[in-house]
Amino acid sequence: SEVDLEGHFERTVAKDQRIEPRDWMPEGYRATMIRQIAQHAHSEIIGMQPEGNWITRAPSLRRKAILLAKVQDEAGHGLYLYSAAETLGADRPDLTERLISGRQKYSSIFNYPTLSFADVGVIGWLVDGAAICNQVPLCRSSYGPYARAMIRICKEESFHQRQGFELLMTMMKGTTAQREMVRDAVNRFWWPSLMMFGPPDADSPNTARSMAWRIKRHTNDELRQRFVDMTVPQAEALGVTLPDPDLKWNAARGHYDFGAIDWTELKRVISGEGPCNAQRVAHRRRAHEDGAWVREAAAAYAAKHEGAVRD
Ligand code: ACO
């Protein structure tokens, strides 16, 4: 009965065991998982654009090879995640349609422009650093296919974070102009990186339910604090100043205090009014339309092959 099924679901979650695709789950759980996984997949795919912007202009063959591999990894992450969403009954073409029609979200961070090559380093260091902070706990998320996808994604993200740090370290040891590029990139990306964790807990409609279902393992504010605490010493090692005069160690709390975040900016960017939203979605739409002949050819081939097998 429904009661037994619900009880079994609740006990599985409470024991920290995984919910698998064929298990019974409340419709709200399924809808929340599809929402989060789809947004996450879209973020990986849209996230290819800001860095992809620099592939043809990378300053050396080595940097170009690294950047190509990294952007390709992001495509791979998107593909695992779309597959995880499909295990919940989501339809892949429908998810793409929702992205390119602006009906489904992706991370706010990818709506900012990449103005110099230092941005590639800062995205690796701060943006991928924030992504790791958010995603490592998701390896223990209650939905099996999502949690397992997250293990490989986090390993690759850690590698991306290191490459960003190494790039910045190299630039910081370079010329005054290079150090200035790093400073400018850090200034532009610091606050948007803190916004990646989502609205403050008091203003986060989904957190309580997702925590109870053990989809999320920490709140938005907890993870944001963890990110600040981990990043400040890294900034010191790099020799860069984070653009927040209120950033200081609070011995009583055992954490860094930091300044007020401009939540109206996050709201604006999420609602489509960020500096690059229109460009990002238009680019994705164009790529999808340009790929129509590949999908048609694959479908024609499959139909022909099916006919041949039947004959
Ligand atoms: N950018 C865009 N939308 C956001 C952001 C953000 N930075 N933060 C929150 N939102 C959206 C939420 O998706 C939600 O919208 P919806 O209800 O219409 O779906 C709304 O704002 C309210 O936020 P919350 O109630 O806090 O939503 P939620 O519990 O889903 O928490 C979070 C948001 C933390 C982003 C969560 O979904 C999550 O952990 N997702 C997985 C990680 C992820 O998607 N990372 C992508 C970027 S990292 C990368 O790809 C490199």
Side-chain angles (χ1 to χ4, degrees):
S1 75
E2 185 93 343
V3 177
D4 294 342
L5 289 168
E6 183 137 26
H8 184 259
F9 170 86
E10 295 293 348
R11 282 192 299 279
T12 304
V13 169
K15 279 189 285 189
D16 256 340
Q17 290 174 349
R18 300 278 174 267
I19 304 299
E20 295 298 339
R22 289 190 184 82
D23 293 343
W24 183 90
M25 60 188 85
E27 276 316 303
Y29 180 89
R30 185 183 299 277
T32 299
M33 266 339 299
I34 292 176
R35 175 183 67 80
Q36 178 162 330
I37 298 174
Q39 287 179 2
H40 195 163
H42 297 331
S43 304
E44 301 283 356
I45 297 297
I46 294 286
M48 294 167 75
Q49 291 183 41
E51 288 185 284
N53 180 33
W54 283 93
I55 291 173
T56 56
R57 293 174 290 162
S60 69
L61 182 60
R62 178 168 170 268
R63 291 293 171 197
K64 189 179 185 120
I66 294 170
L67 186 54
L68 262 175
K70 194 210 158 189
V71 171
Q72 201 163 305
D73 284 351
E74 309 293 357
H77 298 173
L79 299 185
Y80 312 144
L81 288 165
Y82 284 126
S83 298
E86 284 180 314
T87 68
L88 290 155
D91 175 64
R92 176 86 175 269
D94 177 57
L95 296 180
T96 301
E97 192 49 48
R98 284 170 192 266
L99 170 63
I100 62 181
S101 61
R103 279 177 297 150
Q104 253 171 7
K105 297 186 170 83
Y106 57 88
S107 181
S108 51
I109 193 73
F110 301 119
N111 293 306
Y112 293 87
T114 44
L115 304 179
S116 82
F117 199 73
D119 291 20
V120 171
V122 168
I123 289 178
W125 175 42
L126 295 180
V127 174
D128 296 331
I132 294 166
C133 234
N134 168 268
Q135 290 170 26
V136 165
L138 293 174
C139 297
R140 294 185 294 114
S141 187
S142 56
Y143 188 58
Y146 187 50
R148 288 189 290 273
M150 222 39 73
I151 295 170
R152 177 165 174 184
I153 291 177
C154 285
K155 287 190 176 153
E156 293 182 348
E157 292 292 0
S158 304
F159 191 60
H160 296 171
Q161 202 256 0
R162 291 298 179 93
Q163 73 80 37
F165 192 81
E166 190 268 349
L167 194 166
L168 295 177
M169 206 50 136
T170 306
M171 288 187 84
M172 289 302 288
K173 288 185 193 139
T175 62
T176 308
Q178 285 175 309
R179 278 190 290 278
E180 178 52 31
M181 281 162 75
V182 174
R183 191 190 64 81
D184 174 61
V186 169
N187 285 351
R188 283 182 287 109
F189 277 95
W190 173 248
W191 292 105
S193 299
L194 296 187
M195 294 175 199
M196 285 174 68
F197 295 91
D201 294 348
D203 203 16
S204 162
N206 300 303
T207 291
R209 192 61 266 185
S210 289
M211 293 281 286
W213 275 329
R214 301 199 182 178
I215 293 171
K216 286 168 82 162
R217 308 304 309 245
H218 303 281
T219 70
N220 300 356
D221 287 331
E222 283 166 10
L223 292 174
R224 193 172 1 255
Q225 181 71 61
R226 187 179 286 189
F227 173 69
V228 171
D229 291 348
M230 125 188 156
T231 306
V232 173
Q234 295 174 2
E236 283 164 8
L238 270 177
V240 303
T241 306
L242 297 170
D244 179 358
D246 297 326
L247 194 60
K248 60 172 179 303
W249 180 249
N250 181 327
R253 287 203 311 126
H255 292 290
Y256 284 91
D257 288 336
F258 54 96
I261 296 173
D262 180 359
W263 297 117
T264 57
E265 175 174 331
L266 178 64
K267 286 209 181 97
R268 210 168 51 236
V269 176
I270 293 182
S271 66
E273 309 288 308
C276 299
N277 294 60
Q279 179 190 332
R280 299 289 185 241
V281 173
H283 187 90
R284 183 70 194 87
R285 172 186 287 280
R286 207 175 328 113
H288 184 66
E289 287 167 359
D290 287 350
W293 70 272
V294 179
R295 292 188 295 279
E296 279 160 25
Y301 179 82
K304 193 166 118 190
H305 184 69
E306 203 180 297
V309 169
R310 250 202 319 271
D311 286 347

Short mmCIF file of all heavy atoms in Angstrom, two decimals, residues 35-36 39-40 43-44 74 105-110 127-128 131 134-135 138 146 157 195-199 203-207 210 216 220 266 270, ligand 1:
data_model
loop_
_atom_site.label_atom_id
_atom_site.label_comp_id
_atom_site.label_asym_id
_atom_site.label_seq_id
_atom_site.Cartn_x
_atom_site.Cartn_y
_atom_site.Cartn_z
N ARG A 35 14.28 18.83 -10.84
CA ARG A 35 14.58 20.27 -10.88
C ARG A 35 16.06 20.52 -10.61
O ARG A 35 16.75 21.19 -11.36
CB ARG A 35 13.73 21.00 -9.83
CG ARG A 35 14.02 22.49 -9.68
CD ARG A 35 13.20 23.13 -8.57
NE ARG A 35 13.54 22.66 -7.24
CZ ARG A 35 14.59 23.10 -6.53
NH1 ARG A 35 15.39 24.02 -7.02
NH2 ARG A 35 14.84 22.61 -5.33
N GLN A 36 16.56 19.94 -9.50
CA GLN A 36 17.95 20.22 -9.14
C GLN A 36 18.93 19.62 -10.15
O GLN A 36 19.90 20.27 -10.53
CB GLN A 36 18.24 19.70 -7.72
CG GLN A 36 19.69 19.94 -7.33
CD GLN A 36 19.94 19.85 -5.83
OE1 GLN A 36 19.07 20.14 -5.03
NE2 GLN A 36 21.15 19.42 -5.47
N GLN A 39 18.84 21.63 -13.45
CA GLN A 39 19.53 22.92 -13.31
C GLN A 39 21.04 22.72 -13.26
O GLN A 39 21.81 23.50 -13.81
CB GLN A 39 19.10 23.62 -12.01
CG GLN A 39 17.70 24.18 -12.07
CD GLN A 39 17.29 24.86 -10.76
OE1 GLN A 39 18.07 24.94 -9.81
NE2 GLN A 39 16.06 25.34 -10.70
N HIS A 40 21.43 21.66 -12.57
CA HIS A 40 22.86 21.37 -12.44
C HIS A 40 23.45 21.01 -13.82
O HIS A 40 24.49 21.53 -14.22
CB HIS A 40 23.02 20.23 -11.44
CG HIS A 40 24.40 20.05 -10.92
ND1 HIS A 40 24.68 19.34 -9.79
CD2 HIS A 40 25.59 20.49 -11.39
CE1 HIS A 40 25.99 19.35 -9.58
NE2 HIS A 40 26.56 20.04 -10.54
N SER A 43 23.77 24.01 -15.97
CA SER A 43 24.89 24.85 -15.53
C SER A 43 26.20 24.36 -16.13
O SER A 43 27.04 25.16 -16.56
CB SER A 43 25.03 24.84 -14.01
OG SER A 43 23.83 25.23 -13.40
N GLU A 44 26.37 23.04 -16.14
CA GLU A 44 27.60 22.49 -16.70
C GLU A 44 27.72 22.84 -18.19
O GLU A 44 28.78 23.20 -18.68
CB GLU A 44 27.64 20.96 -16.54
CG GLU A 44 27.56 20.47 -15.09
CD GLU A 44 28.87 20.62 -14.32
OE1 GLU A 44 29.89 21.03 -14.92
OE2 GLU A 44 28.87 20.30 -13.11
N GLU A 74 33.48 19.59 -18.71
CA GLU A 74 32.19 20.17 -18.31
C GLU A 74 31.07 19.56 -19.15
O GLU A 74 29.98 19.29 -18.64
CB GLU A 74 32.17 21.70 -18.47
CG GLU A 74 33.33 22.48 -17.84
CD GLU A 74 33.39 22.44 -16.32
OE1 GLU A 74 32.49 21.85 -15.71
OE2 GLU A 74 34.36 22.99 -15.76
N LYS A 105 16.26 26.97 -14.97
CA LYS A 105 17.39 27.81 -14.56
C LYS A 105 18.73 27.11 -14.75
O LYS A 105 18.78 25.89 -14.90
CB LYS A 105 17.24 28.14 -13.07
CG LYS A 105 15.99 28.95 -12.72
CD LYS A 105 16.05 29.33 -11.23
CE LYS A 105 14.99 30.33 -10.85
NZ LYS A 105 13.70 29.71 -10.58
N TYR A 106 19.78 27.89 -14.69
CA TYR A 106 21.15 27.38 -14.57
C TYR A 106 21.88 28.37 -13.68
O TYR A 106 21.37 29.46 -13.40
CB TYR A 106 21.82 27.25 -15.95
CG TYR A 106 21.86 28.53 -16.74
CD1 TYR A 106 22.92 29.42 -16.59
CD2 TYR A 106 20.82 28.87 -17.60
CE1 TYR A 106 22.95 30.61 -17.28
CE2 TYR A 106 20.84 30.07 -18.30
CZ TYR A 106 21.91 30.93 -18.14
OH TYR A 106 21.93 32.13 -18.82
N SER A 107 23.09 28.00 -13.23
CA SER A 107 23.76 28.82 -12.21
C SER A 107 23.99 30.26 -12.66
O SER A 107 24.48 30.52 -13.77
CB SER A 107 25.10 28.19 -11.82
OG SER A 107 25.70 28.98 -10.82
N SER A 108 23.69 31.17 -11.76
CA SER A 108 23.86 32.61 -11.98
C SER A 108 25.28 32.97 -12.44
O SER A 108 25.46 33.89 -13.23
CB SER A 108 23.56 33.35 -10.68
OG SER A 108 24.30 32.79 -9.60
N ILE A 109 26.26 32.22 -11.96
CA ILE A 109 27.66 32.61 -12.18
C ILE A 109 28.05 32.67 -13.66
O ILE A 109 28.92 33.44 -14.04
CB ILE A 109 28.62 31.65 -11.41
CG1 ILE A 109 30.05 32.20 -11.35
CG2 ILE A 109 28.65 30.26 -12.02
CD1 ILE A 109 30.25 33.33 -10.42
N PHE A 110 27.36 31.88 -14.48
CA PHE A 110 27.76 31.80 -15.89
C PHE A 110 27.16 32.92 -16.73
O PHE A 110 27.30 32.94 -17.95
CB PHE A 110 27.46 30.41 -16.45
CG PHE A 110 28.18 29.34 -15.66
CD1 PHE A 110 27.50 28.35 -14.99
CD2 PHE A 110 29.57 29.38 -15.56
CE1 PHE A 110 28.17 27.40 -14.23
CE2 PHE A 110 30.26 28.43 -14.80
CZ PHE A 110 29.55 27.44 -14.13
N VAL A 127 35.23 29.72 -8.86
CA VAL A 127 33.95 29.14 -9.28
C VAL A 127 33.98 27.62 -9.11
O VAL A 127 33.05 27.03 -8.54
CB VAL A 127 33.61 29.55 -10.74
CG1 VAL A 127 32.36 28.84 -11.23
CG2 VAL A 127 33.47 31.07 -10.83
N ASP A 128 35.05 26.97 -9.57
CA ASP A 128 35.12 25.53 -9.38
C ASP A 128 35.35 25.20 -7.90
O ASP A 128 34.87 24.18 -7.41
CB ASP A 128 36.21 24.91 -10.27
CG ASP A 128 35.86 25.09 -11.76
OD1 ASP A 128 34.66 25.16 -12.09
OD2 ASP A 128 36.78 25.18 -12.59
N ALA A 131 32.00 25.30 -6.48
CA ALA A 131 31.25 24.13 -6.97
C ALA A 131 31.64 22.89 -6.15
O ALA A 131 30.78 22.10 -5.76
CB ALA A 131 31.53 23.91 -8.45
N ASN A 134 30.07 22.90 -2.70
CA ASN A 134 28.65 22.59 -2.80
C ASN A 134 28.42 21.11 -3.15
O ASN A 134 27.47 20.49 -2.69
CB ASN A 134 28.04 23.52 -3.86
CG ASN A 134 26.64 23.12 -4.30
OD1 ASN A 134 26.50 22.36 -5.27
ND2 ASN A 134 25.63 23.58 -3.59
N GLN A 135 29.33 20.55 -3.97
CA GLN A 135 29.05 19.23 -4.56
C GLN A 135 29.64 18.06 -3.79
O GLN A 135 29.12 16.94 -3.90
CB GLN A 135 29.51 19.21 -6.02
CG GLN A 135 28.61 20.10 -6.87
CD GLN A 135 29.12 20.33 -8.28
OE1 GLN A 135 29.85 19.51 -8.83
NE2 GLN A 135 28.74 21.43 -8.88
N LEU A 138 27.12 16.49 -1.86
CA LEU A 138 26.09 15.87 -2.70
C LEU A 138 26.47 14.44 -3.11
O LEU A 138 25.63 13.68 -3.59
CB LEU A 138 25.82 16.72 -3.95
CG LEU A 138 25.17 18.09 -3.69
CD1 LEU A 138 25.08 18.90 -4.98
CD2 LEU A 138 23.77 17.93 -3.07
N TYR A 146 22.38 10.34 -8.79
CA TYR A 146 22.94 11.69 -8.64
C TYR A 146 24.19 11.64 -7.77
O TYR A 146 25.23 12.19 -8.13
CB TYR A 146 21.87 12.60 -8.01
CG TYR A 146 22.22 14.08 -7.95
CD1 TYR A 146 22.70 14.77 -9.05
CD2 TYR A 146 22.03 14.80 -6.76
CE1 TYR A 146 22.99 16.13 -8.99
CE2 TYR A 146 22.30 16.16 -6.70
CZ TYR A 146 22.78 16.82 -7.80
OH TYR A 146 23.06 18.15 -7.74
N GLU A 157 36.41 18.24 -10.85
CA GLU A 157 36.34 19.64 -10.40
C GLU A 157 37.56 20.01 -9.55
O GLU A 157 38.05 21.13 -9.61
CB GLU A 157 35.06 19.94 -9.60
CG GLU A 157 33.76 19.89 -10.39
CD GLU A 157 33.58 21.00 -11.42
OE1 GLU A 157 34.46 21.86 -11.56
OE2 GLU A 157 32.54 20.97 -12.10
N MET A 195 27.47 34.16 -4.36
CA MET A 195 26.04 34.05 -4.70
C MET A 195 25.70 32.67 -5.28
O MET A 195 24.54 32.28 -5.29
CB MET A 195 25.64 35.13 -5.71
CG MET A 195 25.73 36.53 -5.15
SD MET A 195 25.39 37.75 -6.44
CE MET A 195 26.11 39.21 -5.68
N MET A 196 26.71 31.94 -5.76
CA MET A 196 26.45 30.61 -6.33
C MET A 196 25.74 29.69 -5.35
O MET A 196 25.02 28.77 -5.74
CB MET A 196 27.77 29.93 -6.72
CG MET A 196 28.41 30.47 -7.96
SD MET A 196 30.03 29.71 -8.21
CE MET A 196 29.58 28.02 -8.60
N PHE A 197 25.97 29.90 -4.03
CA PHE A 197 25.40 29.00 -3.02
C PHE A 197 23.90 29.22 -2.82
O PHE A 197 23.28 28.50 -2.05
CB PHE A 197 26.15 29.17 -1.69
CG PHE A 197 27.59 28.72 -1.80
CD1 PHE A 197 28.59 29.61 -2.15
CD2 PHE A 197 27.91 27.39 -1.61
CE1 PHE A 197 29.91 29.20 -2.30
CE2 PHE A 197 29.23 26.96 -1.75
CZ PHE A 197 30.23 27.88 -2.10
N GLY A 198 23.36 30.22 -3.50
CA GLY A 198 21.92 30.46 -3.43
C GLY A 198 21.56 31.50 -2.39
O GLY A 198 22.43 32.02 -1.69
N PRO A 199 20.26 31.80 -2.27
CA PRO A 199 19.80 32.84 -1.34
C PRO A 199 20.12 32.45 0.10
O PRO A 199 20.37 31.28 0.39
CB PRO A 199 18.29 32.89 -1.57
CG PRO A 199 17.94 31.60 -2.23
CD PRO A 199 19.15 31.16 -2.98
N ASP A 203 15.68 32.84 3.27
CA ASP A 203 14.97 33.21 2.04
C ASP A 203 15.08 32.10 0.98
O ASP A 203 14.97 32.34 -0.21
CB ASP A 203 15.64 34.51 1.53
CG ASP A 203 14.73 35.31 0.64
OD1 ASP A 203 13.51 35.05 0.65
OD2 ASP A 203 15.26 36.19 -0.09
N SER A 204 15.35 30.87 1.45
CA SER A 204 15.54 29.74 0.53
C SER A 204 14.35 28.78 0.64
O SER A 204 14.27 27.99 1.56
CB SER A 204 16.84 29.01 0.88
OG SER A 204 16.86 27.72 0.32
N PRO A 205 13.41 28.87 -0.31
CA PRO A 205 12.17 28.11 -0.17
C PRO A 205 12.37 26.59 -0.18
O PRO A 205 11.57 25.87 0.41
CB PRO A 205 11.33 28.56 -1.38
CG PRO A 205 12.27 29.21 -2.32
CD PRO A 205 13.41 29.73 -1.50
N ASN A 206 13.43 26.10 -0.82
CA ASN A 206 13.56 24.65 -1.00
C ASN A 206 14.41 23.94 0.04
O ASN A 206 14.39 22.71 0.13
CB ASN A 206 14.16 24.35 -2.39
CG ASN A 206 13.30 24.90 -3.51
OD1 ASN A 206 12.13 24.57 -3.62
ND2 ASN A 206 13.87 25.78 -4.33
N THR A 207 15.21 24.71 0.81
CA THR A 207 16.22 24.06 1.66
C THR A 207 15.63 23.10 2.69
O THR A 207 16.09 21.95 2.78
CB THR A 207 17.11 25.11 2.35
OG1 THR A 207 17.91 25.74 1.35
CG2 THR A 207 18.06 24.48 3.37
N SER A 210 14.44 19.86 1.14
CA SER A 210 15.54 19.10 0.55
C SER A 210 16.50 18.55 1.62
O SER A 210 17.10 17.49 1.43
CB SER A 210 16.32 19.96 -0.45
OG SER A 210 15.54 20.17 -1.60
N LYS A 216 19.88 17.67 -0.11
CA LYS A 216 20.93 18.59 0.33
C LYS A 216 21.39 18.14 1.71
O LYS A 216 20.57 17.76 2.54
CB LYS A 216 20.38 20.03 0.41
CG LYS A 216 20.15 20.68 -0.95
CD LYS A 216 19.35 21.97 -0.85
CE LYS A 216 20.20 23.17 -0.47
NZ LYS A 216 19.47 24.45 -0.82
N ASN A 220 22.46 26.50 2.40
CA ASN A 220 23.20 27.43 1.53
C ASN A 220 24.22 28.25 2.33
O ASN A 220 25.37 28.41 1.92
CB ASN A 220 22.24 28.38 0.82
CG ASN A 220 21.23 27.66 -0.07
OD1 ASN A 220 21.27 26.43 -0.22
ND2 ASN A 220 20.30 28.42 -0.66
N LEU A 266 21.71 39.03 -7.17
CA LEU A 266 21.43 37.61 -7.46
C LEU A 266 20.03 37.44 -8.06
O LEU A 266 19.85 36.74 -9.05
CB LEU A 266 21.58 36.74 -6.20
CG LEU A 266 21.26 35.25 -6.42
CD1 LEU A 266 22.23 34.58 -7.39
CD2 LEU A 266 21.23 34.48 -5.10
N ILE A 270 19.28 35.79 -11.67
CA ILE A 270 18.46 34.58 -11.78
C ILE A 270 17.24 34.83 -12.67
O ILE A 270 16.82 33.97 -13.41
CB ILE A 270 18.02 34.07 -10.38
CG1 ILE A 270 19.22 33.58 -9.58
CG2 ILE A 270 16.99 32.95 -10.51
CD1 ILE A 270 18.86 33.02 -8.21
N1 ACO B 1 21.84 30.54 -9.70
C1 ACO B 1 20.64 30.31 -10.26
N2 ACO B 1 19.56 29.93 -9.55
C2 ACO B 1 19.71 29.78 -8.22
C3 ACO B 1 20.93 29.99 -7.58
C4 ACO B 1 22.03 30.39 -8.36
N3 ACO B 1 23.24 30.62 -7.84
N4 ACO B 1 20.77 29.75 -6.26
C5 ACO B 1 19.48 29.42 -6.08
N5 ACO B 1 18.84 29.45 -7.26
C6 ACO B 1 17.42 29.21 -7.49
C7 ACO B 1 17.02 27.82 -7.08
O1 ACO B 1 17.25 26.92 -8.13
C8 ACO B 1 15.57 27.99 -6.75
O2 ACO B 1 14.82 28.12 -7.96
P1 ACO B 1 13.56 27.16 -8.33
O3 ACO B 1 12.83 26.89 -7.04
O4 ACO B 1 12.80 27.90 -9.35
O5 ACO B 1 14.15 25.92 -8.88
C9 ACO B 1 15.54 29.38 -6.12
O6 ACO B 1 16.69 30.05 -6.62
C10 ACO B 1 15.54 29.36 -4.61
O7 ACO B 1 16.75 28.78 -4.10
P2 ACO B 1 16.80 27.58 -3.04
O8 ACO B 1 15.46 27.40 -2.40
O9 ACO B 1 17.94 27.80 -2.15
O10 ACO B 1 17.04 26.34 -4.05
P3 ACO B 1 17.81 24.97 -3.81
O11 ACO B 1 17.41 24.31 -2.54
O12 ACO B 1 17.66 24.18 -5.06
O13 ACO B 1 19.35 25.39 -3.62
C11 ACO B 1 21.40 25.20 -4.91
C12 ACO B 1 20.08 25.98 -4.68
C13 ACO B 1 22.27 25.33 -3.67
C14 ACO B 1 22.11 25.81 -6.12
C15 ACO B 1 21.05 23.70 -5.14
O14 ACO B 1 20.09 23.56 -6.16
C16 ACO B 1 22.24 22.85 -5.48
O15 ACO B 1 23.04 22.50 -4.63
N6 ACO B 1 22.36 22.44 -6.78
C17 ACO B 1 23.39 21.55 -7.27
C18 ACO B 1 24.65 22.27 -7.60
C19 ACO B 1 24.58 23.06 -8.89
O16 ACO B 1 23.57 23.15 -9.56
N7 ACO B 1 25.69 23.65 -9.27
C20 ACO B 1 25.76 24.34 -10.53
C21 ACO B 1 26.79 25.37 -10.55
S1 ACO B 1 28.40 24.78 -10.29
C22 ACO B 1 29.04 24.29 -11.75
O17 ACO B 1 28.39 23.78 -12.58
C23 ACO B 1 30.51 24.51 -11.98
#
